[in-house]
Amino acid sequence: MYADPPAPQPLQPGETPPAPDSAGSALLGPGAAVTWEFNPEYQRLVTLWGQVLPLLETLTTSLDKAYQMSRSRDVWDAPVGERYVRDLVEWRARLGQYRQAILTSISDQAADTPRWVPVNTGAPHAFS
């Protein structure tokens, strides 16, 4: 089984935007007042993680249940049963790799996407 990558963190209660002297305001010019907003692109990644993870958990649980049942001799004791168990082992491995790829993709995109953006500049994200 694989360890899940870090999930994008939603806006926390009391979390504040970057300080006015941060590098972002320096890029806009000296003395420029910057109003920050939580990046909508980052929030979409948080939402996507929350939608995908339960679906992957459901798939994993269903496949694990079928695997456990198929290994029991009370269910199936024949050569075709052994083939079925081997197929389930392969499907579980594929699902683990699929899960890892999806969650890593979301996590990597979140790591490359700023949490806060200036209000008037749009919402930049990685690879734009």
Side-chain angles (χ1 to χ4, degrees):
M1 200 69 193
Y2 301 96
D4 290 341
Q9 296 301 309
L11 181 63
Q12 302 298 317
E15 183 177 351
T16 58
D21 295 336
S22 70
S25 62
L27 294 174
L28 298 174
V34 178
T35 305
W36 295 92
E37 69 176 338
F38 194 73
N39 191 344
E41 291 294 321
Y42 190 89
Q43 182 57 45
R44 284 188 193 110
L45 294 170
V46 171
T47 303
L48 180 62
W49 184 281
Q51 292 171 342
V52 166
L53 192 60
L55 296 173
L56 291 171
E57 290 293 336
T58 300
L59 288 171
T60 301
T61 302
S62 298
L63 202 50
D64 286 347
K65 182 178 177 185
Y67 174 73
Q68 293 302 326
M69 289 176 61
S70 69
R71 294 202 51 188
S72 169
R73 293 292 176 201
D74 296 336
V75 176
W76 206 343
D77 189 12
V80 72
E82 293 171 12
R83 234 182 11 244
Y84 184 68
V85 170
R86 285 194 307 268
D87 287 346
L88 283 173
V89 168
E90 183 179 335
W91 295 340
R92 289 173 74 209
R94 286 183 184 179
L95 180 59
Q97 292 170 343
Y98 183 63
R99 174 189 178 116
Q100 186 72 17
I102 291 171
L103 295 181
T104 298
S105 176
I106 296 170
S107 181
D108 289 350
Q109 183 74 23
D112 292 339
T113 304
R115 289 175 59 81
W116 294 91
V117 292
V119 172
N120 298 330
T121 62
H125 53 85
F127 313 113
S128 59

